[in-house]
Amino acid sequence: MVYPRTLLRSPGFASLTAAVLALGVAAALSVIEIADAVLLRPLPFADPGRVVTAWQTSNGTRITVDGADFLDWKGQTSSAFDRMAAVSARGFTLTGGDNPDRVEGAIASADFFPLLGAQPLLGRALLTARARTAVLSESLWRSRYGSDPAIVGRTLTLDGEPAEIVGVMPARFRYPPLAEIWLSPHAQVPEHPTYPIDPDHDRARHFLTVLARLKPGVSLEQATAALRTVQARLEADHPDEEKGIGAEIVPLRENLYGATRPLLLGLLGVVALILGVAWATAAHLFLARAVSRSHESAVRMALGATRGALWRLFFSEAFVLSLAAGAIGLAAAAWGAPLLVRLSPQGATLPAPELSSAVALVAALLTAACGASLGLFGALQRFDLAQALQEGGRAATGSRRQARLRSAFLAFEVALSLVLLVAAGLLVRSFARVTSVDPGFDADGVLAADLPLAKARYPDKPAQLRFSQEALRRLRAGPTIDHAGFVSRLPFSPNNTVGDLALPGREKDSFPCDLRLASDGYFETLRIPLRQGRTFTEADLRGEGPPAVVLNETAARKAFGSGDPLGRRVLVWGETVPSEVVGVVGDVHHLGLEKQPRPEAWRPLGVVGWPNLTLIVRGKVPAAQLAPAVREVIWGMDRDQPIVHAETMHDRIGASLSLRRFTLGLLSVMALITALLAAAGIYGVTAYLVAQRTRELGVRMALGATAMRVVGELTRETMVRVAIGCAAGIAGAAALARALRGFLFGVGPLDPATFVSVPLLLAAVAALASALAASRAVRVDPAEALRNN
């Protein structure tokens, strides 16, 4: 076959062009594959377009739903919804093995599985029952129970409570996304994870996620109106609990993946730039080759070839290279997309990407578009037949029109590369600023571990307090631990507890305040600086003396201004008995290094029941080496007590930055790819054109031109185009930087250091690539060059 043989005679051109295109196609298809799974693929439920999530709202913010309101919604909206179900996601302690395991799961009301149209792999779905029943995920069934087909009917122990296994759900069923086990509630509504309330009648605590299935023909707007009508009625009937509470409906896909959409759309824009650079580089190479082949084309026509035959030649070459690039890109995307999802901090909650027919169609369209457009660059190049034949074996560099087109391609490549490089530079500087923030405590040498206490063994606050105090006594008596303490919410934990803080008699002037429970030793273990007064003692935890509270500086300033807060009284946790401010501590960046400290108040551990505790210890050895001592003490007290996420505080801080770090790393890699593509294009085209100008350069060197001068002039020609590309890229980067404003911290979107250093760096890389390619010219003997041309 004649057409592939023409590529075999130019292996450098063929391999470089195919590699460049394959890199761009692979990047594009990897992100398209993820976007297809997240945004387009049908959810694994029956008729998923009719499944919605229903939220309550307060001051325009979505909040979860309380139990009594859920039952009222369900009973009074039958005209809009076929079914409605309540779900409470949480972790469970699964015992019965060598060690207690923490398993993510949910308690779900009776309509949960029927609403989603889920059919179990084994057994049946949940039924309302006073005794616990459980449904396992397929992954838990296979990993822990060895795919035992007789698993249905067996009893397992969760949080110290027996539950009968009634079914196994297939792997494709994922809701909540991390759940591996689902339990039936003891009442109509799932029980609260912390407070011992009657969930069927409580209107104060919002903790339920509500799913609903729209009736056929009912629109989202009609269902929202029906739900808001019921909520308005509830506000009129229960003004104390329901004042200012609204209702809102969100499609299930939006609820699951809506927060991911902006990042995915941004990544699609980024890979479009990469694909653009790859295409421009390939087009640049095709154009240079077409110019150099003007003599070959003229000979073919002189021997009888028609324009149509030449067109078929150019298009066949373009399509062969594009097909090779498409195949390589598709194979790389099949491997790269799942890898990206696994590396993402949100990967566990996202659907697994796969090469669907939609992705294959996009790959085919990209391949066809690349082949057609690149073929045109060869086919549409005009040349003078007589002049091309007269040149004989001498190479050509093309017309001014072709030179302008080559310059435009090179500037385009540089501009797109610069846009991504500047964005990556801004994120790098922003990340450096974030990590330099003082968190408000000393993380060195501190180990943290979550200790969720089972309700069956620690049902109330006295039992929980006894456990924590005995654990602290034993830990402090050990040889490796200096300080230890418990807290309800550790800084950088994924959750927060917010309430109101007010001065007695001025309840109307209350303000939002983050609320914590802490033991004695907590502040000392984290070395949170004490500004005034004291921290908690064991007497405070036992309830001896007036109720005590510790405030951070922000809360003290907001409550008392410049006055002395010590000895003053405040109302927290909705308590009617005021607490005395016994101490003021420094501010802590609880919600993240990039978030400003908020008002915080600590009450002694044990004043309310709180089974989800976090232990922190500081010792005489590195933090990671404290884990065995913690396990020995905790399991010595309760062998069924799970120790979850035993990590250093530095690891927890790092986890809070995981999304920022992932975004930075991904964009940096993509920016590097575009820079390499641009450099490859500059090198390849310069080298190709130098090879075509061998005779001209030989003449100049024979007439006395120095090697340095020849290389300098060739490099200078390229750098003029690079400068034009940099100017255009800076303008594009300025527009993109404004879109990145939400990701930046401590760095302006038009940061001068970034906008100066990155173009200079890219120009240096371009100059190096051009100089290396141009240096080929000075390695040619002038006499040999004149003789061969």
Side-chain angles (χ1 to χ4, degrees), residues 686 689-691 693-718 767 770-780 782:
T686 304
L689 293 180
V690 165
R693 297 173 61 183
T694 301
R695 183 175 185 278
E696 173 202 337
L697 298 175
V699 170
R700 293 179 59 187
M701 293 182 68
L703 294 176
T706 64
M708 184 69 72
R709 181 174 179 181
V710 170
V711 171
E713 288 183 2
L714 290 172
T715 303
R716 205 159 33 245
E717 291 177 14
T718 300
S770 178
L772 288 174
S775 64
R776 295 180 56 183
V778 302
R779 293 197 294 267
V780 179

Side-chain angles (χ1 to χ4, degrees), residues 87-261:
V87 186
S88 177
R90 64 190 67 181
F92 301 99
T93 300
L94 178 59
T95 53
D98 295 336
N99 292 317
D101 290 331
R102 192 66 175 171
V103 180
E104 293 300 321
I107 300 177
S109 64
D111 281 331
F112 173 68
F113 286 111
L115 185 153
L116 294 174
Q119 297 299 318
L121 189 67
L122 294 175
R124 60 176 173 80
L126 297 178
L127 296 176
T128 302
R130 295 291 173 179
R132 282 276 199 234
T133 54
V135 172
L136 308 182
S137 69
E138 183 177 347
S139 61
L140 183 63
W141 172 57
R142 295 190 184 280
S143 62
R144 187 175 177 95
Y145 300 102
S147 305
D148 181 3
I151 191 68
V152 175
R154 288 177 55 181
T155 299
L156 50 76
T157 303
L158 291 165
D159 290 348
E161 181 183 11
E164 180 189 357
I165 299 172
V166 298
V168 176
M169 296 305 297
R172 64 180 179 275
F173 182 86
R174 297 182 67 198
Y175 191 89
L178 298 178
E180 291 191 279
I181 192 166
W182 297 266
L183 301 184
S184 62
H186 286 310
Q188 296 183 74
V189 173
E191 53 268 30
H192 195 280
T194 302
Y195 295 102
I197 61 173
D198 176 3
D200 290 358
H201 299 92
D202 182 83
R203 298 186 189 276
R205 290 167 178 83
H206 300 255
F207 66 101
L208 297 173
T209 299
V210 174
L211 299 179
R213 177 175 288 277
L214 300 177
K215 279 186 173 294
V218 174
S219 68
L220 199 66
E221 292 74 18
Q222 290 171 328
T224 301
L227 195 64
R228 287 177 175 170
T229 298
V230 174
Q231 185 59 46
R233 191 180 304 134
L234 293 176
E235 183 174 5
D237 294 342
H238 309 279
D240 292 339
E241 297 94 343
E242 303 290 340
K243 184 178 180 180
I245 301 296
E248 183 177 333
I249 292 178
V250 180
L252 182 57
R253 182 186 293 278
E254 177 68 22
N255 184 67
L256 287 172
Y257 307 128
T260 310
R261 183 183 291 109

Side-chain angles (χ1 to χ4, degrees), residues 21-22 24-37 40 268 271-272 275 319 322-323 325-327 329-331 333 354-371:
L21 276 178
V25 171
L29 291 180
S30 294
V31 177
I32 289 171
E33 190 177 325
I34 297 171
D36 173 61
L40 301 177
L268 286 172
V271 295
L275 186 59
F319 273 102
S322 296
L323 284 171
L330 198 60
E354 57 187 34
L355 285 179
S356 65
S357 57
V359 176
L361 177 62
V362 172
L365 292 175
L366 286 178
T367 299
C370 288

